[in-house]
């Protein structure tokens, strides 16, 4: 299966991210590691991911402190999509991680079956 190096947005303090990186290394997948807190995904990447995943809520780290304390459950109904993308792209803590940008595909979170499908 040919795939260019996926870009993996992750946070070192996140156990799910560590498991995902371990998986990639075990599968010998070349990837680009990006610290999500320092460099959140761009609005363009987020928009494409939403198109691919079908639901903007899937982009959110709903169990995160920033999501809960920021009252995002309510905010999501009040903001426009553009406002939501802007918030996500400026606060990596709000984005579900790992957030993976592949060549025409996206993965959020780490479910081994999904990753196997995309990465072999």
């Amino acid at each position: 299966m040919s795939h260019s190096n996926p870009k993996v947005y992750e946070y070192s303090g996140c156990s799910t991210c560590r498991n995902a990186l371990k998986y990639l290394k075990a599968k010998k997948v070349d990837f680009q590691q990006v610290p999500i807190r320092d460099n959140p995904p761009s609005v363009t990447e987020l928009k494409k991911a939403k198109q691919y995943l079908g639901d903007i809520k899937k982009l959110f780290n709903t169990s995160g402190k920033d999501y809960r304390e920021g009252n995002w459950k309510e905010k999501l109904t009040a903001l426009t999509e553009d406002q939501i993308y802007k918030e996500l792209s400026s606060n990596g803590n709000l984005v579900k991680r790992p957030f993976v940008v592949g060549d025409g595909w996206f993965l959020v979170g780490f479910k081994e079956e999904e990753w196997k499908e995309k990465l072999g």
Side-chain angles (χ1 to χ4, degrees):
M1 189 185 287
S2 79
H3 43 73
S4 58
N5 298 0
K7 195 193 280 189
V8 181
Y9 288 94
E10 53 76 46
Y11 168 56
S12 57
C14 159
S15 57
T16 308
C17 295
R18 287 197 298 270
N19 290 337
L21 296 179
K22 211 183 290 175
Y23 175 86
L24 291 171
K25 287 170 185 156
K27 298 280 179 195
K28 296 187 172 36
V29 174
D30 287 325
F31 61 95
Q32 189 187 342
Q33 199 169 330
V34 184
I36 199 163
R37 287 181 160 186
D38 305 329
N39 296 298
S42 68
V43 168
T44 305
E45 287 173 329
L46 291 160
K47 283 185 173 177
K48 286 182 179 165
K50 188 260 174 179
Q51 280 176 334
Y52 185 81
L53 299 162
D55 183 359
I56 205 161
K57 278 213 283 288
K58 288 187 175 164
L59 303 178
F60 277 88
N61 173 15
T62 52
S63 56
K65 199 170 75 142
D66 288 37
Y67 182 88
R68 290 195 312 270
E69 290 180 358
N71 226 355
W72 274 93
K73 208 172 175 177
E74 284 71 42
K75 267 192 199 166
L76 276 175
T77 57
L79 296 176
T80 66
E81 279 206 353
D82 283 342
Q83 288 171 315
I84 291 170
Y85 290 127
K86 211 165 154 175
E87 291 282 343
L88 284 167
S89 71
S90 62
N91 182 352
N93 285 339
L94 286 174
V95 182
K96 189 172 173 79
R97 56 188 184 236
F99 180 90
V100 183
V101 180
D103 195 4
W105 54 266
F106 295 83
L107 289 165
V108 286
F110 177 58
K111 291 197 177 82
E112 202 167 311
E113 287 68 43
E114 287 177 7
W115 283 53
K116 217 173 260 169
E117 213 174 278
K118 296 283 177 261
L119 297 159

